[in-house]
Amino acid sequence: MFTKDQIRHFQSLKTPFYYYDLKLLDQSLEEVKKHGLSRGYHIHFAIKANFNAEILERIRQAGLGIDCVSGAEIIRALECGFRPDQIAFAGVGKTDEEILIGLNHNIYSFNCESLEELRVLNELANREGKVANVAVRLNPNVEAKTHKYITTGLHENKFGISTDKLPQLFRLLHDLKSIRLMGIHFHIGSQIRDLEPFRQLCLRTNELQKEFEAEGFHLQHLNLGGGYGINYEDPDLEPIPDFKAFFDLFSEHLDHRDDQQIHFELGRSVVGQCGSLISRVLYVKEGVATDFAILDAGMTELIRPALYQASHRVDVLTSSKPEKTYDVVGPICESSDTFQRGIRLPELQRGDLVAIRSAGAYGEVMSSGFNLRERVKSYYS
Ligand code: LLP
């Protein structure tokens, strides 16, 4: 994965830092173009997964739009050259100020998550003398079979409008004059590796589309959200997710009308594998059951293991000694600040470099200043 020259360069840099392989990003984007954009699908990159300008620039050049969940993300997308008509804005708790940012920039769509939000949006749009484009996010009650913290499409989750509210929703959509219905939106969860939940989502979308049509609504687009997963166990085996299989599934199972656009909001599958967190071993501490490799990176740089019990592969870059067993941990004063438990790695010593892989999505963007830790740098090649 890393060349000798790269490792030599890494040794001269202050650790920890994020490293992004832009060539791999470009190759992933090529696959998205080949199997998604070329079929006429519209793809909005979920900027929450990674908001680095270098990465967004490549995503923009590839022809993707942006899916935002905050006013600041809308502004970042605009600053990075995305056109307002390429921006969708989702989120269960949009503030008035954020709604106004979207309205004043005439973004493509507000993906509304409650009846109350629709009323507020209508009122603000009316006050501004505008008509807001809306997609209603529906909760399809489809089990995504992923970690419970990243499941979003079940009734128990806070996301989307429950389908038993459809009669009230239809009434509102007829009554509110400062919103224009463009489509329906779903996002059932994240890191979904098994395609079956997406097939279920297609079937549910087909049924719901008919209910909207029966009420006289024509949907300009169907937005199926994101959620496609990546191979965290073996990133080198699958550096680019199988986008063909993903988009084929929707082509096969979604009943889409001739003049209708199909939208997706991919995040992790586009950028996940191109990023690594590079860290140095600070200490190797002998433990009772296992030895601890204590890194200079912790949950403040990559919170996914602590928050979702996520497993990121750890590659040792500077040792090829016989293997030993380690718990690989960070320096933060929390026991959950652990990257891996009981893994076999080449024997480590103070100063060795490791790469924590598959950290391009929800890595750097979720870093925190806990313990007054500095925000780390990122490098690209
Ligand atoms: N669309 C909406 C409305 C979303 O909420 C999300 C992610 C996406 C699209 C993109 O999903 P993706 O293709 O990246 O799975 N921090 C967690 C993931 C949270 C995902 C939140 N929503 C993690 O590190 O696993």
Side-chain angles (χ1 to χ4, degrees):
M1 161 73 189
F2 298 102
T3 64
K4 285 205 175 100
D5 280 349
Q6 276 174 322
I7 295 170
R8 210 165 306 126
H9 178 53
F10 289 172
Q11 272 166 328
S12 69
L13 300 172
K14 181 177 175 210
T15 50
F17 59 85
Y18 271 92
Y19 162 79
Y20 295 99
D21 178 347
L22 296 179
K23 210 183 293 159
L24 178 58
L25 173 62
D26 286 341
Q27 288 164 354
S28 304
L29 288 167
E30 278 308 313
E31 289 294 295
V32 170
K33 276 157 74 172
K34 185 167 158 199
H35 301 293
L37 297 183
S38 69
R39 294 181 209 220
Y41 291 162
H42 292 241
I43 300 163
H44 293 99
F45 172 66
I47 190 174
K48 66 169 81 68
N50 194 306
F51 43 62
N52 278 308
E54 287 77 357
I55 289 184
L56 294 178
E57 174 57 19
R58 286 178 140 76
I59 287 173
R60 189 184 66 76
Q61 281 177 12
L64 279 68
I66 291 287
D67 157 50
C68 298
V69 285
S70 73
E73 286 186 353
I74 296 177
I75 289 167
R76 170 64 65 98
L78 292 168
E79 281 169 0
C80 288
F82 290 89
R83 296 187 315 267
D85 67 0
Q86 293 179 298
I87 296 177
F89 182 20
V92 290
K94 303 177 186 76
T95 64
D96 292 12
E97 201 184 339
E98 290 176 316
I99 291 175
L100 288 170
I101 292 173
L103 281 173
N104 292 329
H105 286 100
N106 299 315
I107 59 168
Y108 171 71
S109 158
F110 288 85
N111 293 346
C112 290
E113 307 230 9
S114 65
L115 302 183
E116 194 166 18
E117 181 190 336
L118 281 170
R119 288 190 204 97
V120 170
L121 175 60
N122 181 68
E123 194 183 307
L124 291 173
N126 182 35
R127 214 170 68 193
E128 296 295 301
K130 307 228 174 202
V131 175
N133 293 331
V134 162
V136 283
R137 177 168 178 182
L138 302 173
N139 185 322
N141 200 29
V142 167
E143 170 62 81
K145 299 189 198 145
T146 183
H147 189 276
K148 64 176 193 272
Y149 287 1
I150 50 177
T151 293
T152 49
L154 288 175
H155 284 330
E156 69 205 53
N157 304 128
K158 67 182 173 183
F159 300 97
I161 299 171
S162 151
T163 48
D164 34 274
K165 293 275 182 310
L166 280 183
Q168 291 100 306
L169 173 64
F170 291 145
R171 223 170 305 133
L172 262 190
L173 291 171
H174 283 303
D175 290 351
L176 301 178
K177 297 297 173 229
S178 298
I179 59 173
R180 177 189 304 120
L181 181 70
M182 313 279 286
I184 50 177
H185 172 225
F186 305 89
H187 173 73
I188 56 171
S190 199
Q191 184 51 17
I192 303 169
R193 295 270 288 155
D194 170 5
L195 289 175
E196 177 56 20
F198 291 120
R199 197 181 69 86
Q200 294 295 334
L201 174 62
C202 290
L203 303 182
R204 195 73 189 104
T205 305
N206 296 341
E207 288 168 8
L208 287 164
Q209 155 144 266
K210 284 195 204 127
E211 297 200 37
F212 275 77
E213 287 172 342
E215 282 291 318
F217 294 108
H218 170 68
L219 302 172
Q220 273 182 32
H221 76 252
L222 305 176
N223 182 342
L224 287 307
Y228 196 31
I230 61 171
N231 189 340
Y232 281 98
E233 292 74 41
D234 197 347
D236 292 329
L237 184 72
E238 218 180 321
I240 301 173
D242 186 350
F243 286 113
K244 179 175 185 309
F246 178 76
F247 290 116
D248 275 353
L249 180 114
F250 290 93
S251 295
E252 189 180 338
H253 296 287
L254 203 60
D255 293 341
H256 103 254
R257 311 291 178 243
D258 288 343
D259 56 347
Q260 196 169 48
Q261 296 179 0
I262 305 298
H263 292 214
F264 295 94
E265 299 168 338
L266 298 176
R268 184 189 322 262
S269 52
V270 179
V271 293
Q273 297 293 31
C274 78
S276 294
L277 175 60
I278 310 294
S279 176
R280 252 189 196 92
V281 175
L282 286 175
Y283 301 100
V284 179
K285 175 160 119 172
E286 234 174 71
V288 177
T290 167
D291 291 348
F292 296 97
I294 303 171
L295 306 183
D296 61 4
M299 61 192 286
T300 39
E301 287 68 49
L302 180 65
I303 200 173
R304 302 195 67 260
L307 195 55
Y308 318 110
Q309 295 82 46
S311 170
H312 286 253
R313 192 185 153 88
V314 175
D315 284 343
V316 175
L317 305 184
T318 49
S319 166
S320 49
K321 293 186 192 147
E323 291 186 345
K324 290 188 72 176
T325 302
Y326 294 100
D327 278 11
V328 180
V329 303
I332 308 300
C333 310
E334 300 274 346
S335 291
S336 60
D337 184 29
T338 296
F339 290 110
Q340 288 282 356
R341 277 185 210 283
I343 54 161
R344 301 284 295 167
L345 293 176
E347 185 176 350
L348 292 166
Q349 62 182 39
R350 176 173 168 81
D352 272 327
L353 282 180
V354 302
I356 303 172
R357 304 285 306 279
S358 312
Y362 308 110
E364 195 177 355
V365 288
M366 291 183 79
S367 59
S368 79
F370 185 40
N371 292 184
L372 276 181
R373 299 223 341 147
E374 260 176 56
R375 221 187 144 81
V376 303
K377 283 196 174 164
S378 25
Y379 298 92
Y380 307 85
S381 73

